[in-house]
Amino acid sequence: MFPRRTTKPVKIGGVTVGGGAPIVVQSMTKTDTRDVPATVRQIRELEECGCELVRLAVPDQEAVEALKDIKSQARVPLIADIHFDYRLALGALESGVAGLRLNPGNIGDADKVAAVARAAKERGVPIRIGVNAGSLPKHVAAGMKEGELAPRMVDVALEQVRLLESLDFDLIKISLKAFDVPSTIQAYRLMAEKVSYPLHLGITESGPFRSGVVRSSVGLGILLYQGIGDTIRVSLTAPPSEEVIAGYEILKSLNLREKGPVLVSCPSCGRVEVELMGLVQAVEQKLAGMTRPVKVAVMGCVVNGPGEARDADVGLACGKGRGVIFRKGEPVRTVEEKDFLPALMAEIEAV
Amino acid sequence: MFPRRTTKPVKIGGVTVGGGAPIVVQSMTKTDTRDVPATVRQIRELEECGCELVRLAVPDQEAVEALKDIKSQARVPLIADIHFDYRLALGALESGVAGLRLNPGNIGDADKVAAVARAAKERGVPIRIGVNAGSLPKHVAAGMKEGELAPRMVDVALEQVRLLESLDFDLIKISLKAFDVPSTIQAYRLMAEKVSYPLHLGITESGPFRSGVVRSSVGLGILLYQGIGDTIRVSLTAPPSEEVIAGYEILKSLNLREKGPVLVSCPSCGRVEVELMGLVQAVEQKLAGMTRPVKVAVMGCVVNGPGEARDADVGLACGKGRGVIFRKGEPVRTVEEKDFLPALMAEIEAV
């Protein structure tokens, strides 16, 4: 793996993004922001599954008003997502949000941008500049040829960056999201060469769970492997907690974060002589609420079983109707199939 | 993206692996191979979702006998997965399998390996050498230090390769699977520098669906992006059709294969004024059986909506209770929310 890119850290409330801090997992509420109870309920769900920053759309003044109430009930730092109207940004800042996501070029003339930058700076609130393939300015999107998407996205983002810098504002994060994975990777790589601001990674509109989680894992995985990325948001047309769970799984797969247990399990095949799939599902459910980073292996046969089971904190290598439980590499007991689940869980609790 | 690595092609039945052929998606049956009806049923399911090669565990002579029957009912080329006993390999070849997966060092002495290599060569049947982190020889696994896993896996695999080459056998594919993604990537990269045989990619024992699909997408995505990989198998403790669907999604996300529709959909947020998540799920279900590579976008609001909708073959950009349908970049009609699904599907059928 490549070393992580050195970036200039920013603080969103108590959460540091960039500068070598752990890569931050964030998500966005999907409720109507004006519906305070529903939004707070969703923020609570996000907090419970480890979401470290929560973004909310703030499309109108009523949503700005709701922000104050929401803020008073949220433990996680909140980021306001603003388009078109600088007054919404000023209002969100007054409500006490810890971050803004807006493109200065999209909220009005120079005076208005200056007012927002000044207010954000006074409060130490960073601004994320986010350029999405789907919302490039018309004159930029027009007549774009194959391979031009990434450099054009970078140009548009840099223009926004320079605008903020000219106002002596540098609490900046940048995102460059497209649906196309190679274009997204190219855009982030280009940007990483040009600035030292932290980068917020995402594959935009990546779709429903099954295809979206693959697309996001591939795109974010490739960038993270290259040392690029300070915070991630997995966009899925699915409940936001799924975005957070997937985000952590991406980071865990590259050993960039620890978060609860890791479950190693074999796919099962014609060699397996126990009912493996149901067992693995049951173990997965039991592990879901656990916060310790214990590594558990559930393996169906003698080919890879003992090896993987030995490598885990707690492992089960099955044979015909029975299995051997390993703890930290040592076989500790043989159990009958009917006792697999309780025996495994007892060992996990004890580890 | 990096150019694809040049590899020496092999043929598994009618399917070419390597040599610039499209990256092949494969899976493995999870039934007891001796249960012919259940195994054939699962092979049928795999064929229906586009699986191009199917591997079966052949743990005993009874499974070898079953292979003949299974072979006569399968359309997709079959690969026999053999351990420990060279007679199973010879029997599988007689049953007409199109590929073998075995490690010569694990099926007996030199005479036995020579007999298998000779029989495979006569039939033009390739052998995959597969080294898994969990089944390294004990003397290799013993006392392994941090960072040594990948080079040791490569050494073990190369020893097997040299053994086959010494028998004048070169219809070889190689896999090097570990649960740890960075180690797996390192192993394949090292091997890619040393030989020109095609590589079969996989992250072994990657776990149940939710974590396994992420881990596999990250690992395989990174390697494929680097131009490495000629065939892939996503290992999930889940029905094998899920492995195939995930495999294609990985390839589609890097534009390496086309396979049916692509669904772009926004994650939804507080800006959306229609019921988006249910709509996207309904569209996803309707698209599931479709084979044409049509790109469909379902977008919740005016921020990225029109841009993404324009970029798709058929797109819907929603506003408050209504939306605009785009076809090949042009807005074609405005529809009420209650008509979203039929209107979208009608446009998709017509495209």
Side-chain angles (χ1 to χ4, degrees), chain B residues 242-324:
Chain B
E242 291 292 348
E243 301 186 349
V244 174
I245 293 166
Y248 277 109
E249 290 297 336
I250 292 171
L251 296 175
K252 285 162 72 176
S253 75
L254 289 168
N255 309 324
L256 289 165
R257 290 285 300 262
E258 283 189 338
K259 174 83 165 64
V262 170
L263 179 52
V264 180
S265 66
C266 87
S268 175
C269 73
R271 205 177 296 282
V272 174
E273 296 176 291
V274 297
E275 206 290 279
L276 191 83
M277 224 173 280
L279 172 66
V280 170
Q281 277 166 8
V283 174
E284 186 185 25
Q285 275 168 23
K286 295 245 180 215
L287 294 180
M290 205 170 278
T291 52
R292 287 178 301 145
V294 59
K295 184 174 179 184
V296 178
V298 181
M299 301 293 297
C301 85
V302 296
V303 172
N304 297 311
E308 288 289 350
R310 260 180 230 280
D311 191 48
D313 295 314
V314 177
L316 169 68
C318 303
K320 191 180 170 93
R322 50 194 354 214
V324 177

Side-chain angles (χ1 to χ4, degrees), chain A residues 30-31 81 83 132 134-135 180-181 185 205 207 210-211 225 237 242 249 253 255 265-267 270-271 303-304 307, chain B residues 30-31 81 83 132 134-135 180-181 185 205 207 210-211 225 237 242 249 253 255 265-267 270-271 303-304 307:
Chain A
K30 304 187 180 197
T31 49
D81 191 284
H83 289 271
N132 281 25
S135 55
D180 185 63
V181 168
I185 293 166
E205 348 288 4
R210 209 151 62 163
S211 52
Y225 186 80
T237 314
E242 291 292 348
E249 290 297 337
S253 75
N255 309 324
S265 66
C266 87
R271 205 176 297 281
V303 173
N304 297 311
Chain B
K30 304 186 180 197
T31 50
D81 190 284
H83 289 272
N132 281 25
S135 55
D180 185 62
V181 169
I185 293 166
E205 348 288 4
R210 209 150 64 162
S211 52
Y225 186 80
T237 314
E242 291 292 348
E249 290 297 336
S253 75
N255 309 324
S265 66
C266 87
R271 205 177 296 282
V303 172
N304 297 311

Side-chain angles (χ1 to χ4, degrees), chain B residues 48 65 114 122 193 269 278 309:
Chain B
E48 273 160 19
E65 293 304 316
E122 274 170 19
E193 289 166 13
C269 73

Side-chain angles (χ1 to χ4, degrees), chain B residues 21-22 35 64 77 98 101 119 150 173 180 187 190 202-203 234 238 255 267 286 296:
Chain B
D35 182 345
V64 170
R101 179 265 196 251
K173 285 179 297 168
D180 185 62
L190 285 171
I203 302 296
V234 176
N255 309 324
K286 295 245 180 215
V296 178

Side-chain angles (χ1 to χ4, degrees), chain A residues 120-169:
Chain A
K121 191 174 177 177
E122 275 169 20
R123 290 172 170 81
V125 168
I127 296 178
R128 168 159 68 94
I129 289 167
V131 172
N132 281 25
S135 55
L136 284 175
K138 278 204 178 106
H139 71 277
V140 177
M144 199 157 52
K145 294 194 189 64
E146 179 106 16
E148 286 184 358
L149 176 60
R152 292 208 186 185
M153 286 170 67
V154 170
D155 286 347
V156 170
L158 279 176
E159 207 173 290
Q160 307 293 310
V161 168
R162 301 307 173 214
L163 187 50
L164 286 182
E165 287 175 339
S166 73
L167 296 163
D168 200 26
F169 187 92

Side-chain angles (χ1 to χ4, degrees), chain B residues 110-225:
Chain B
D111 285 356
K112 293 170 180 167
V113 175
V116 171
R118 194 165 47 238
K121 191 173 176 176
E122 274 170 19
R123 291 173 170 81
V125 168
I127 296 178
R128 168 159 68 93
I129 289 166
V131 172
N132 281 25
S135 55
L136 284 175
K138 278 205 181 104
H139 70 278
V140 178
M144 199 157 52
K145 293 194 189 66
E146 179 105 17
E148 286 184 358
L149 176 60
R152 292 208 187 185
M153 286 170 67
V154 170
D155 287 347
V156 170
L158 279 176
E159 208 173 289
Q160 307 293 310
V161 168
R162 300 309 173 215
L163 187 50
L164 287 182
E165 287 175 339
S166 73
L167 296 163
D168 200 27
F169 187 91
D170 68 351
L171 303 174
I172 296 173
K173 285 179 297 168
I174 304 170
S175 65
L176 300 151
K177 303 186 185 181
F179 177 77
D180 185 62
V181 169
S183 298
T184 307
I185 293 166
Q186 192 193 353
Y188 279 105
R189 286 175 58 106
L190 285 171
M191 186 56 89
E193 289 166 13
K194 289 184 192 288
V195 300
S196 65
Y197 296 118
L199 297 177
H200 162 122
L201 303 187
I203 302 296
T204 198
E205 348 288 4
S206 75
F209 184 79
R210 209 150 64 162
S211 52
V213 80
V214 169
R215 184 167 285 269
S216 293
S217 301
V218 169
L220 272 50
I222 290 169
L223 283 163
L224 292 165
Y225 186 80

